[in-house]
């Protein structure tokens, strides 16, 4: 599916800093929009319905999935997550650049639909640091943290399927790397051709 807008999928194990990086990127880049996913998990902390996620019940989620409302959906840590087909397609066709915070399963599904989607994986600097970050969040029980660490090993093994890998040792450096990936993608020949087709046509390149 060719669209003038670029699609960026950012995946990472829980606690790696994915959400903080994407939030900071959005504050710096006015051309980038975030797509809000649907989930059956409960809101955490100060999360707001329609801002971080659309928080819905499982029967409603499964009904939407059956109707084909999601580009992709998956079960992660016992909860369901899905990406709205209508919201993403409309933005990309309008020429907007869209970023998705997504699990690795969803990212690989998206790549099948949008071959030009850019997959970015965020890695922790070490397992010890990831454990410390999960504990510092103060949101999960020791049992949940242990499960997230176990799942994290499976998730990290999928990084080899992604286009770019960023190690979040220092937040400012990781944010710079993320900005660099986005900017570089916009300057690729194929991306410029999709987004600035009139210029290419005027120059006789198409």
């Amino acid at each position: 599916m060719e669209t003038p807008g670029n699609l960026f999928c950012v995946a990472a194990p829980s606690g790696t800093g994915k959400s903080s990086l994407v939030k900071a990127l959005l504050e710096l880049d006015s051309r980038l929009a975030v797509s809000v996913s649907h989930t059956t998990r409960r809101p955490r902390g100060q999360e707001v319905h329609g801002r971080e996620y659309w928080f819905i019940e499982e029967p409603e989620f499964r009904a939407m999935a059956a109707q084909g409302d999601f580009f992709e959906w998956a079960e992660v840590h016992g909860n369901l997550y899905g990406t709205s087909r209508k919201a993403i397609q409309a933005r990309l066709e309008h020429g907007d650049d869209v970023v998705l915070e997504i699990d690795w399963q969803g990212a690989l599904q998206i790549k099948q639909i949008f071959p030009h989607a850019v997959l970015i994986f965020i890695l922790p600097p070490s397992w010890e640091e990831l454990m410390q970050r999960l504990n510092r969040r103060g949101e999960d029980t020791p049992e949940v943290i242990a499960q997230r660490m176990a799942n994290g090993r499976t998730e990290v093994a999928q990084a080899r399927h992604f286009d770019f890998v960023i190690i979040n040792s220092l937040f400012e450096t990781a944010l710079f790397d993320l900005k660099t990936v986005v900017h570089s993608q916009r300057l690729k020949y194929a991306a410029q051709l999709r987004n600035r087709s009139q210029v290419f046509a005027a120059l006789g390149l198409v």
Side-chain angles (χ1 to χ4, degrees), residues 123-154:
L123 288 175
S126 67
W127 293 116
E128 292 75 17
E129 176 62 23
L130 183 60
M131 173 71 84
Q132 291 177 20
R133 291 178 184 179
L134 287 170
N135 281 312
R136 283 197 298 266
R137 280 200 320 200
E139 296 176 349
D140 301 312
T141 64
E143 292 77 16
V144 170
I145 289 176
Q147 184 61 56
R148 292 190 185 281
M149 289 295 297
N151 291 340
R153 294 185 181 276
T154 300

Side-chain angles (χ1 to χ4, degrees), residues 13 15-17 21 122-133 136 156 165-171 174:
T16 306
L21 285 169
I122 311 296
L123 288 175
S126 67
W127 293 116
E128 292 75 17
E129 176 62 23
L130 183 60
M131 173 71 84
Q132 291 177 20
R133 291 178 184 179
R136 283 197 298 266
V156 163
V165 173
I166 295 172
I167 300 174
N168 187 14
S169 298
L170 182 65
F171 184 84

Side-chain angles (χ1 to χ4, degrees), residues 8-49:
F8 301 92
C9 299
V10 183
S14 180
T16 306
K18 172 184 64 177
S19 295
S20 297
L21 285 169
V22 170
K23 181 180 179 181
L25 178 66
L26 290 166
E27 291 173 352
L28 294 171
D29 193 333
S30 60
R31 293 177 54 193
L32 201 58
V34 67
S35 178
V36 180
S37 299
H38 291 69
T39 183
T40 59
R41 80 158 170 79
R42 300 298 93 191
R44 296 192 195 117
Q46 302 301 311
E47 290 181 334
V48 176
H49 180 68

Side-chain angles (χ1 to χ4, degrees), residues 52-128:
E52 282 78 16
Y53 288 98
W54 297 106
F55 296 99
I56 60 176
E57 297 298 323
E58 184 171 337
E60 182 182 356
F61 186 102
R62 292 197 178 278
M64 292 178 67
Q67 294 166 12
D69 291 342
F70 298 130
F71 268 129
E72 60 76 32
W73 67 274
E75 182 173 345
V76 183
H77 305 306
N79 297 299
L80 301 174
Y81 294 81
T83 304
S84 169
R85 177 182 297 271
K86 184 184 297 183
I88 291 183
Q89 193 164 337
R91 284 179 168 174
L92 292 176
E93 289 176 350
H94 187 260
D96 297 334
D97 289 344
V98 177
V99 60
L100 295 176
E101 289 183 53
I102 198 169
D103 71 285
W104 68 268
Q105 301 170 76
L108 296 183
Q109 289 179 46
I110 287 286
K111 189 75 168 181
Q112 297 299 314
I113 303 167
F114 294 95
H116 66 267
V118 179
L119 306 190
I120 307 166
F121 202 96
I122 311 296
L123 288 175
S126 67
W127 293 116
E128 292 75 17

Side-chain angles (χ1 to χ4, degrees), residues 3-4 6 185-196:
T3 61
N6 294 295
Q185 168 62 23
R186 287 172 174 160
L187 297 180
K188 284 185 176 180
Y189 186 94
Q192 291 279 50
L193 176 59
R194 291 194 309 270
N195 191 255
R196 306 294 296 277

